DNA sequence: AATAATTTTTACAAAAAAGTAAAATAAAAA
DNA sequence: TTTTTATTTTACTTTTTTGTAAAAATTATT
């Protein structure tokens, strides 16, 4: 249950773009605001572009901007894009996508992580960048609301 | 949302001890059963001992055994013991234990992880090694049961 | 006592992840 | 067409995590 620094930086970069109000932002501008190296910001934005989260304009007057409306990009999208094993936030290392667990007989760990991950995915998929650009307090009530609704439906 | 290989190996080692039926098991015996290097098994068991999860008998005829009844050791205990940052399964890297988030003004990530972690902790704290020594199907229904109860109480 | 089998501890090696830096490429502007 | 400023890509460095190996310490047995 860990948010990596890379993911944190990625989120902050995206929030910086949103909060700037500008059409596009360069890696260099972001790096100054966030206190990160330009190359590092560029690398993260490159990963986010490959995931379809930001779009770019190359060359002079170039820069980065959200590929979609901030309402449509979720926390889960961003975390997945910046997860080292790319396709999915990892569950049990014994479970590859589409495969059965090779330890299915004695792997008692899977159901626990399956349930926990399902909830986390649901939570993170229902938080948008727009909402994250607002303050904690607003998010906190939104989180509670999602949780309550989730439990009402699934239980 | 990731279970590290170290944690997986630790869980398997503990389940091996339980399933063996023996009073104690040596690192060498476990390593043969699990196909892991003896040194690696010893290292993991050393970490588990420091966390108070296993006890040991030194010297010849020595070995490892659970420090408490398998009913009383939870999945959460084990994961925490084998988490690289030892005290706690990590949340947001900006939150240190007992401190406020240094990014409190614009850190919109915290509430999401706080809620997800709370649920995961609850889940993992209510699964015991004894239950894990049984089959998946049993665990699955237990997990569902915990989930339902959690939601009924908290919502 | 000496030996053998064990845990304990330390130090090191390998792998993975995170971060840095610089060369290559692209496009606007002078 | 040259220059400037940007993204893109690759390669490398550092750090962290994981795993290996061996020496030290402990205790039962001979």
């Amino acid at each position: 249950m860990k948010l990596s620094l890379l993911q944190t930086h990625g989120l902050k970069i995206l929030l910086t773009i949103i909060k700037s109000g500008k059409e596009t932002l360069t890696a260099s501008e972001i790096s100054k605001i966030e206190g990160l190296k330009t190359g590092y910001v560029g690398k993260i934005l490159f990963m986010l572009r490959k995931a379809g989260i930001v779009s770019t304009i190359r060359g002079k007057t170039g820069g980065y901007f959200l590929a979609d409306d901030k309402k449509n990009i979720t926390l889960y999208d961003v975390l997945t894009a910046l997860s080292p094993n790319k396709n999915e936030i990892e569950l049990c290392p014994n479970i590859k996508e589409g495969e059965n667990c090779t330890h299915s007989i004695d792997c008692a760990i899977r159901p626990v992580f399956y349930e926990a991950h399902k909830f986390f995915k649901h939570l993170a998929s229902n938080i948008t960048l727009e909402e994250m650009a607002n303050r904690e307090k607003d998010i906190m009530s939104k989180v509670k609301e999602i949780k309550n609704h989730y439990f009402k439906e699934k239980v």
Side-chain angles (χ1 to χ4, degrees), chain A:
Chain A
M1 183 61 70
K2 175 176 168 178
L3 185 66
S4 74
L5 263 181
L6 187 78
Q7 290 169 326
T8 307
H9 290 153
L11 284 166
K12 286 175 156 272
I13 287 168
L14 290 169
L15 294 179
T16 298
I17 292 174
I18 291 173
K19 289 182 178 177
S20 76
K22 293 184 183 174
E23 285 294 314
T24 69
L25 229 51
T26 68
S28 152
E29 287 173 313
I30 295 168
S31 74
K32 274 168 202 150
I33 294 171
E34 287 295 331
L36 302 169
K37 299 280 174 69
T38 306
Y40 185 41
V41 170
K43 185 182 177 177
I44 292 175
L45 284 164
F46 183 55
M47 295 171 82
L48 292 173
R49 182 182 66 74
K50 281 192 291 189
I53 291 172
V54 299
S55 294
T56 54
I57 296 169
R58 299 190 63 170
K60 200 172 176 176
T61 71
Y64 300 88
F65 59 99
L66 295 191
D68 196 352
D69 193 281
K70 60 190 175 186
K71 275 201 256 308
N72 299 327
I73 302 171
T74 72
L75 174 58
Y76 191 76
D77 296 332
V78 179
L79 297 185
T80 303
L82 299 177
S83 187
N85 17 342
K86 71 180 190 177
N87 279 336
E88 188 81 13
I89 293 170
E90 198 178 6
L91 257 69
C92 171
N94 299 325
I95 307 172
K96 306 294 173 213
E97 200 176 8
E99 289 176 25
N100 288 328
C101 179
T102 54
H103 301 78
S104 62
I105 292 171
D106 66 346
C107 177
I109 305 151
R110 188 157 72 86
V112 179
F113 271 78
Y114 176 73
E115 203 59 61
H117 181 261
K118 218 172 64 176
F119 176 58
F120 177 73
K121 180 173 180 172
H122 179 82
L123 213 53
S125 301
N126 280 280
I127 301 284
T128 68
L129 285 185
E130 182 180 45
E131 290 162 333
M132 294 185 68
N134 298 325
R135 302 237 164 210
E136 276 195 62
K137 223 167 63 178
D138 304 326
I139 291 285
M140 184 56 102
S141 54
K142 173 71 188 274
V143 164
K144 293 275 183 198
E145 180 195 311
I146 295 170
K147 188 184 78 172
N148 293 356
H149 190 258
Y150 179 80
F151 283 127
K152 215 179 296 173
E153 265 193 345
K154 304 274 170 158
V155 173

